[in-house]
Amino acid sequence: MKLTKGGLIILYALLVLIPVVSIFFTTFKSTSEMYDNVLGLPKSFDFGNYAKLFVEESMGTYFINSVIVTVFSVAITLFFASLIAFAITRMTGWVGNAIFALFALGMMVPAQVNMIPLYSLIFDLGLTNSLFGLIIVNTTVTMPVAVFILSGFMKSLPKSLFEASTIDGANNWQMYTRIALPLSLPSLSATAIFLFVMVWNDLLYPLLFITDKDYKTLPLALLEFQGEYMTNYPMLFTGVIIASAPMVIAYVFLQRYFIAGMTAGSVKG
């Protein structure tokens, strides 16, 4: 049984690893070389595709745009979502449950349903072709998910801590900053990673709101390498590797926080 499980794990790892390695090697090939030998090693490890992306294709600008949109969207979402989650857990009776249900309902609405009214609103506000407008949209659409995750964790915090702090004269803001936030760091870290992946990989909203080349994000910029009759796969795969690198690095260094956040609150002491 152990051998079977180990074999299945190795087989799954190979199924995941082989396409990734193949894509990585393709970034060092020309288009003709790729078609001549799709799965083979490149003739030379030439970083010309990487240099061309940053020098000729403005990949540096797209990368910075993605960083700005992602960092500010995640930070703003976490701040307001943690406030809302704390308020929900502090409310008694049906009011807190109703607010929580309202945000949970927001998770059930497909993004495509909101495209027309959302575009109309952003257009009327003059925020199309704007990173600020993209940040507002991402913050809005990711808020229900963040509130849902953080509320579930904060409900598991011992009420005795808040009751003791109330006796000591602490107000709601002090309880939020001195008790709820420090204890919620694992959950906040896990939520941050989850939101980071959502916003960083998002194509729908940049495609909907951004047409100016100076404000494109990485996922939107990668579409430039796909034509109607021909796709420049080496350049496309190079862009994919560059776009994926921050997520891989973030997960490698923050995986312990992600795992701790996913398991936090599952066992009550």
Side-chain angles (χ1 to χ4, degrees), residues 44-64:
S44 63
F45 287 89
D46 183 10
F47 289 87
N49 288 333
Y50 291 90
K52 184 177 179 181
L53 275 181
F54 284 96
V55 175
E56 299 180 14
E57 303 294 340
S58 302
M59 186 59 67
T61 301
Y62 306 143
F63 189 89
I64 293 174

Side-chain angles (χ1 to χ4, degrees), residues 23-36:
I23 289 173
F24 177 71
F25 284 151
T26 303
T27 64
F28 298 102
K29 300 178 182 179
S30 63
T31 302
S32 58
E33 184 183 353
M34 185 206 71
Y35 282 112
D36 290 339

Side-chain angles (χ1 to χ4, degrees), residues 15-28:
L15 290 175
V16 174
L17 190 61
I18 289 176
V20 173
V21 173
S22 177
I23 289 173
F24 177 71
F25 284 151
T26 303
T27 64
F28 298 102

Side-chain angles (χ1 to χ4, degrees), residues 89-253:
T89 57
R90 293 292 296 160
M91 290 178 179
T92 57
W94 61 271
V95 178
N97 292 330
I99 296 176
F100 177 78
L102 184 64
F103 280 96
L105 186 63
M107 297 172 56
M108 303 177 189
V109 180
Q112 292 78 6
V113 174
N114 296 325
M115 288 174 58
I116 295 177
L118 195 57
Y119 180 84
S120 178
L121 176 62
I122 297 299
F123 181 81
D124 291 340
L125 293 174
L127 294 177
T128 55
N129 278 321
S130 165
L131 296 183
F132 179 67
L134 206 53
I135 291 171
I136 292 177
V137 172
N138 282 315
T139 301
T140 303
V141 299
T142 56
M143 190 68 69
V145 178
V147 170
F148 183 84
I149 296 174
L150 294 176
S151 296
F153 175 79
M154 288 190 179
K155 285 180 180 179
S156 68
L157 297 178
K159 293 183 179 180
S160 57
L161 291 176
F162 299 105
E163 292 172 355
S165 62
T166 302
I167 295 174
D168 291 337
N171 55 35
N172 285 326
W173 177 254
Q174 291 171 328
M175 286 188 284
Y176 166 74
T177 54
R178 298 180 183 179
I179 299 176
L181 278 186
L183 293 176
S184 301
L185 282 180
S187 183
L188 285 169
S189 301
T191 306
I193 296 173
F194 185 70
L195 295 178
F196 176 84
V197 173
M198 286 181 62
V199 178
W200 184 267
N201 288 332
D202 180 54
L203 174 63
L204 175 63
Y205 295 113
L207 186 62
L208 189 61
F209 298 113
I210 304 297
T211 56
D212 193 326
K213 187 175 182 179
D214 293 334
Y215 299 107
K216 287 185 176 181
T217 57
L218 280 175
L220 184 58
L222 293 179
L223 293 180
E224 294 183 0
F225 304 112
Q226 292 181 293
E228 184 177 358
Y229 301 106
M230 183 176 180
T231 298
N232 190 340
Y233 285 106
M235 293 296 290
L236 177 62
F237 289 164
T238 304
V240 169
I241 292 295
I242 294 174
S244 303
M247 291 185 294
V248 174
I249 294 172
Y251 184 77
V252 167
F253 286 98

